[in-house]
Amino acid sequence: MAKSNMEQDILKVLYTEEEIKARVQEMGDELYEKFADKNPLFVGVLNGCFIFMADLVRATQVKSELEFIGLSSYHNGVKSSGVVQITRDLQRDITDRHLIVVEDILDSGNTLAFLNNYLLSKGAASITIVTLLDKPSRREKAITADLAGFVVPDEFVVGYGLDYAQQYRNVPYIGVLKPEVYSK
Ligand code: 5GP
Ligand code: MG
């Protein structure tokens, strides 16, 4: 185990590195079956997707391309503001492309509801939503993932790309942050 000065802020581990790896491979296998003949374009939602995206595309050995979009609905807090902003736009044409949207967590649904409409308005041929984590208890928009890694309870989680105030993204597992860390 690597040394860590973040472990002390984690209340409990929800999914270990090994569990994540096994699940991501299953997801990759599923995507392979669906997209082997479609030259899909993976669209990662920054910043949270960066670790999951890196692992998912290697677990999905399909001829494909990558793209990123930066979206933000959080202002360094633990609750979504509901207003989604594009912080980094797509850098290429997605007309008639089969998109695989890669998100870290689907919570209120505000982010993906916005993104789904945005991608459709840009002429996507199809949109498949893949999320590492799904927190269905807090959904405000009628949006569901086509493929979800794990369903999580209504707790604020960090690690494996997910942050609190831009920190903890490099924690290698998914854990629940101690409430005293964000109520400080
Ligand atoms: P939504 O728009 O569905 O409410 O939220 C999606 C975004 O909120 C995610 O991409 C993620 O950045 C952030 N988010 C929602 N729940 C959590 C959580 O439990 N932990 C962290 N770190 N981010 C979350
Ligand atoms: Mg995110």
Side-chain angles (χ1 to χ4, degrees):
M1 261 297 238
K3 281 187 191 172
S4 173
N5 62 5
M6 294 179 283
E7 219 151 78
Q8 66 208 36
D9 296 340
I10 306 293
L11 184 67
K12 63 180 179 219
V13 178
L14 284 185
Y15 297 104
T16 64
E17 282 184 78
E18 293 71 28
E19 288 170 322
I20 296 167
K21 187 162 198 254
R23 182 65 186 126
V24 171
Q25 188 54 61
E26 284 176 1
M27 296 170 89
D29 291 342
E30 236 179 88
L31 291 175
Y32 185 89
E33 294 309 321
K34 196 167 166 190
F35 289 98
D37 57 353
K38 292 205 163 68
N39 186 33
L41 177 63
F42 286 88
V43 179
V45 182
L46 293 171
N47 296 332
C49 77
F50 83 111
I51 293 179
F52 177 45
M53 178 94 155
D55 286 345
L56 186 69
V57 296
R58 285 176 295 175
T60 313
Q61 285 295 307
V62 74
K63 205 172 278 183
S64 55
E65 294 161 30
L66 306 193
E67 175 60 304
F68 293 94
I69 188 166
L71 297 176
S72 171
S73 66
Y74 272 48
H75 301 288
N76 285 349
V78 294
K79 289 234 160 59
S80 169
S81 67
V83 179
V84 182
Q85 288 174 319
I86 297 177
T87 56
R88 179 207 184 268
D89 207 349
L90 298 168
Q91 302 294 307
R92 73 166 98 175
D93 186 14
I94 61 163
T95 309
D96 297 333
R97 297 299 306 263
H98 293 288
L99 308 182
I100 302 175
V101 170
V102 182
E103 179 53 307
D104 54 358
I105 182 166
L106 175 51
D107 186 24
S108 70
N110 287 320
T111 304
L112 285 177
F114 170 88
L115 181 59
N116 201 55
N117 289 338
Y118 183 69
L119 297 174
L120 284 174
S121 77
K122 296 272 175 191
S126 71
I127 301 173
T128 297
I129 294 177
V130 180
T131 186
L132 176 68
L133 305 176
D134 188 5
K135 214 191 255 183
S137 57
R138 299 197 351 135
R139 202 77 87 247
E140 293 168 14
K141 294 274 158 63
I143 189 132
T144 49
D146 297 288
L147 183 57
F150 303 101
V151 174
V152 291
D154 185 8
E155 287 175 295
F156 194 76
V157 299
V158 295
Y160 197 70
L162 290 107
D163 72 311
Y164 168 64
Q166 300 303 327
Q167 296 183 323
Y168 307 99
R169 292 196 196 273
N170 55 331
V171 168
Y173 50 83
I174 293 162
V176 176
L177 200 58
K178 287 182 181 165
E180 58 260 38
V181 175
Y182 52 81
S183 55
K184 258 187 225 153

